[in-house]
Amino acid sequence: MSLTVCNVHLTPKSEKTVYLSSTLMKQLKLTGKKSVRLRLGKATIPATLKPVKRPGNHVFIPAGLRSFVRVPKSGMVYLRNDQEGDLQLGPLIGVLSDSSLRTQSHPFGSRTTFIKQILRVGNKKGFVFAFTPRDINWNNETVNAYFLSESDSWIRRTVPLPDVVYNRLPSRRAETSSSIQTLRERFVRRNIPFFNWSFFKKSDIYELLENDLEANLHVPESVMNPTPDTIRDMLARHQFVYYKPTSGSLGIGIYRLTYLPRKGYFARYTVNGKNTLLRFKHFSSLIRMLQGRHGRSLRNYVVQQGVRLIEIDSCPIDFRFHMHKNGDNDWTVVGIGAKKAGKGSVTTHVKNGGQLMTPEQALQRMFGDRSEEVLGNMKTVAIELAMAIERNYPHLLGELGFDLGIDRDEHVWMFEANAKPGRSIFKHPSLRNEGQSSIEHILDHCLFLSKFRRRDPM
């Protein structure tokens, strides 16, 4: 297999001939060859091969071929000569998303800005487009794709099914629908790598890691769909617990439940941005409150062991680790944000009064000269956890978000794992470079999955 970078030119001729510069013919060991199969994404067509005398790496694609393989634009891309003899342009990378609040300028709603960032960087690496489930024509195996023009506006082009799909569908509910289940399976049946498969439920992570002894040391005791007796027992053993929805996000619906002998039971939670603290003399009164708000069965909730985290100004802090697979298929830590809880808040979410800091700022205050050592240990644990989840997960993963904490004995705990992590930490001025690196990692992993990865940059 040979892989190189070339400059694609689109010509108006109707013939079915691929013209390669002599330099490129020699580089790909095609000298003397008369025909090839030209491929883009999942589309392939036989074509005559002819050399042209021109210095540099150039490919000329006439309209007669373009109508079949649907090359979307000219410019610099990779050219791959694979073991079957196909001459493949690419990679053709699809970013899958959607929104219920679509406009012509923002077809992916609030995620449009992020998707544009991916496409801008991706234009330097191959053919990168965005699409929604409605844009796929499975009968023709094509996509009515969104590309970015040089003026940063949207243009539509019909392209073949891509080499790889990066899944950023935003709706948990939609992902459980039969149509999205079928969509994912159709990509897999066509051997098109599809990552990340879906959002995690909290139960997914506990089940994935329960038999992974090393990783499970970092997961607090957690019980799905707890009975009142289970909650009472865990309060007796841990003094405080977190009671949270299995499919929640942004800290919505989370309670911190505390038991203090001779003082009673306490529930702390946030409603409409306001922190609330209730005291109950009896455990039964606490349970009646929870059942009144969430149903008598207490289903679709998890109770999790409380952990005494390190604190700044008497406020707990935890850390969001943004993890990526890189171009060599290895897990790496790309961005870390430290989150300091707001006064009286159940969680460290910024929307609930939390403060975003760099990990260096937070750990320096806690550990001084040892802060770098502590952070290094957290990075090691984060990579081990990512590898453990991937080991036990049946689908492709390329990105993870962890909420990690450190207790007063410096033990690292994982409270949450997200398959489609938010990007709020990259809004911190000191983490903007990490935000750019995150996008580079997404695309480099797409190059790896599509077999268009090579060591030297374009």
Side-chain angles (χ1 to χ4, degrees), residues 10-283:
L10 307 181
T11 72
K13 295 182 179 180
S14 59
E15 58 188 320
K16 295 180 181 178
T17 301
V18 182
Y19 293 89
L20 267 64
S21 61
S22 302
T23 305
L24 191 54
M25 291 276 284
K26 186 175 181 180
Q27 191 171 331
L28 295 175
K29 299 178 181 177
L30 294 172
T31 304
K33 194 162 186 176
K34 301 298 183 184
S35 63
V36 293
R37 292 196 308 168
L38 183 65
R39 178 178 164 190
L40 176 69
K42 288 300 173 181
T44 305
I45 184 173
T48 304
L49 181 63
K50 289 186 179 180
V52 291
K53 290 185 178 180
R54 181 163 177 175
N57 292 349
H58 296 273
V59 180
F60 297 85
I61 311 290
L65 287 175
R66 220 161 54 243
S67 61
F68 289 92
V69 292
R70 301 177 185 272
V71 179
K73 59 179 182 175
S74 58
M76 300 297 293
V77 294
Y78 284 108
L79 184 63
R80 181 172 173 262
N81 183 21
D82 66 20
Q83 294 173 345
E84 287 75 35
D86 288 1
L87 203 58
Q88 184 178 5
L89 295 167
L92 186 61
I93 297 170
V95 181
L96 175 63
S97 191
D98 207 350
S99 175
S100 58
L101 301 173
R102 296 184 300 276
T103 65
Q104 189 169 355
S105 62
H106 287 72
F108 306 98
S110 62
R111 290 158 190 83
T112 300
T113 299
F114 170 52
I115 289 171
K116 276 192 168 186
Q117 289 175 329
I118 297 175
L119 268 57
R120 284 189 205 108
V121 178
N123 281 337
K124 302 171 185 175
K125 296 177 181 286
F127 301 120
V128 186
F129 65 89
F131 68 112
T132 74
R134 295 176 302 282
D135 296 323
I136 308 170
N137 185 326
W138 292 108
N139 292 328
N140 295 338
E141 297 203 329
T142 59
V143 181
N144 187 21
Y146 289 84
F147 284 88
L148 267 187
S149 70
E150 291 184 3
S151 62
D152 211 44
S153 59
W154 293 111
I155 52 175
R156 304 298 293 271
R157 295 282 187 271
T158 299
V159 294
L161 292 178
D163 295 305
V164 60
V165 176
Y166 171 47
N167 176 23
R168 288 299 299 202
L169 282 173
S171 169
R172 289 176 180 268
R173 180 176 296 177
E175 281 201 328
T176 61
S177 68
S178 58
S179 62
I180 298 301
Q181 293 272 26
T182 301
L183 177 148
R184 290 186 295 225
E185 290 163 3
R186 280 174 158 170
F187 279 116
V188 171
R189 282 200 300 271
R190 289 165 172 78
N191 295 317
I192 297 173
F194 184 100
F195 78 103
N196 299 313
W197 190 258
S198 67
F199 288 98
F200 292 146
K201 292 182 179 179
K202 292 178 175 61
S203 56
D204 294 338
I205 298 304
Y206 308 143
E207 291 169 5
L208 286 172
L209 298 182
E210 64 181 350
N211 295 319
D212 204 304
L213 298 181
E214 286 296 319
N216 205 36
L217 291 173
H218 300 283
V219 180
E221 180 186 358
S222 306
V223 179
M224 300 300 305
N225 304 321
T227 64
D229 286 344
T230 299
I231 296 174
R232 188 204 296 264
D233 172 65
M234 289 184 65
L235 279 170
R237 288 187 290 111
H238 300 300
Q239 190 176 8
F240 76 98
V241 298
Y242 287 94
Y243 181 69
K244 48 192 179 179
T246 58
S247 299
S249 62
L250 302 176
I252 298 170
I254 295 180
Y255 297 80
R256 174 175 164 140
L257 308 179
T258 305
Y259 169 60
L260 297 176
R262 296 186 297 277
K263 291 186 178 180
Y265 296 88
F266 298 82
R268 189 183 293 276
Y269 58 97
T270 300
V271 179
N272 297 325
K274 294 183 179 180
N275 297 321
T276 301
L277 177 64
L278 300 179
R279 175 182 176 274
F280 303 90
K281 187 174 181 181
H282 302 289
F283 178 74

Side-chain angles (χ1 to χ4, degrees), residues 310-317 340 357 361-363 365-366:
I310 57 174
E311 297 180 346
I312 293 178
D313 303 326
S314 300
C315 296
I317 60 169
K340 174 185 169 186
M357 311 166 65
Q361 288 171 333
L363 294 173
R365 289 185 62 176
M366 294 300 304

